[in-house]
Amino acid sequence: MSENNKPSRTSPTDFLNIIIGKRVFVRLNSGIDYKGVLSCLDGYMNIALEMTEEYVDGELRNRYGDAFIRGNNVLYISII
Amino acid sequence: MADTTGTSVIMEPLDLVRLRLDEEVYLKLRGDRELCGRLHAYDQHLNMILGNVQETITIVDVSEQGQGQSIHTVNRNVPMLFVRGDGVILVSSPPRTA
């Protein structure tokens, strides 16, 4: 939300706290991708997404209103 | 923790699962398996007890004739199921079309 675009010594945890409430892109180890609004996450990197779209090989496969993703499957999270 | 959003019943991801207790859940599991059933119990590992479960297994057959692959699904019903948490990928509500 803030205009803080300058590089700073933020930790991965800071990043995760910053992106809560934003639209994110989550890639799993299996290659499946999820896009949605990040409602929260925890120390295991378990993720709660709202308005989730599931993409397999880049194609939209499913939509979920709310989705829980088990953290061990997560490869990365990025902002979109 | 101040609740400023008005929708913050969910404070941690596992709350999503808690809200589904005694309701139908959709699980996506490793090995192209999906489960739909009533969630009776769960723990922090996502071990779960499900009742009246429909399991859908997606099988991809690759033909030798170069015709590519054919996908079919196998369904089976289980009255009561213990699901080990490490197989869980995703938990949600059942899709409308299922």
Side-chain angles (χ1 to χ4, degrees):
Chain A
M1 295 300 176
S2 68
E3 308 297 309
N4 271 348
N5 286 328
K6 62 182 175 190
S8 57
R9 284 193 214 97
T10 54
S11 68
T13 310
D14 294 333
F15 173 79
L16 294 179
N17 287 327
I18 287 168
I19 64 172
I20 287 173
K22 298 191 171 168
R23 286 253 306 160
V24 294
F25 177 93
V26 179
R27 173 157 287 176
L28 305 190
N29 287 316
S30 59
I32 300 179
D33 299 325
Y34 293 93
K35 289 181 190 173
V37 177
L38 181 68
S39 35
C40 57
L41 34 70
D42 65 15
Y44 297 107
M45 221 167 282
N46 293 326
I47 294 173
L49 286 181
E50 298 167 359
M51 297 186 292
T52 312
E53 296 171 333
E54 177 182 84
Y55 291 86
V56 181
D57 298 327
E59 291 176 17
L60 181 62
R61 282 293 165 86
N62 254 319
R63 291 175 195 276
Y64 310 102
D66 287 306
F68 172 97
I69 299 173
R70 199 175 191 265
N72 67 306
N73 301 292
V74 175
L75 184 63
Y76 63 69
I77 308 168
S78 71
I79 310 180
I80 50 175
Chain B
M1 282 271 203
D3 181 0
T4 52
T5 63
T7 58
S8 301
V9 197
I10 297 171
M11 298 303 290
E12 61 169 18
L14 278 167
D15 291 344
L16 264 189
V17 182
R18 182 173 49 81
L19 289 171
R20 301 250 177 267
L21 275 172
D22 287 320
E23 292 185 26
E24 294 291 310
V25 288
Y26 164 87
L27 294 188
K28 193 179 179 68
L29 302 180
R30 291 166 176 266
D32 293 324
R33 285 161 196 267
E34 295 163 290
L35 300 178
C36 269
R38 182 168 291 265
L39 179 64
H40 289 301
Y42 74 97
D43 66 14
Q44 69 273 29
H45 305 288
L46 272 304
N47 296 325
M48 294 185 198
I49 310 286
L50 298 180
N52 197 14
V53 188
Q54 172 162 339
E55 178 181 28
T56 304
I57 310 168
T58 304
I59 299 169
V60 179
D61 290 326
V62 180
S63 64
E64 296 289 322
Q65 286 81 26
Q67 292 293 313
Q69 54 196 21
S70 70
I71 300 173
H72 69 279
T73 59
V74 177
N75 286 298
R76 68 189 188 110
N77 289 286
V78 188
M80 193 66 80
L81 200 61
F82 176 96
V83 183
R84 192 178 148 97
D86 64 355
V88 174
I89 297 175
L90 179 139
V91 184
S92 185
S93 52
R96 296 283 166 263
T97 53

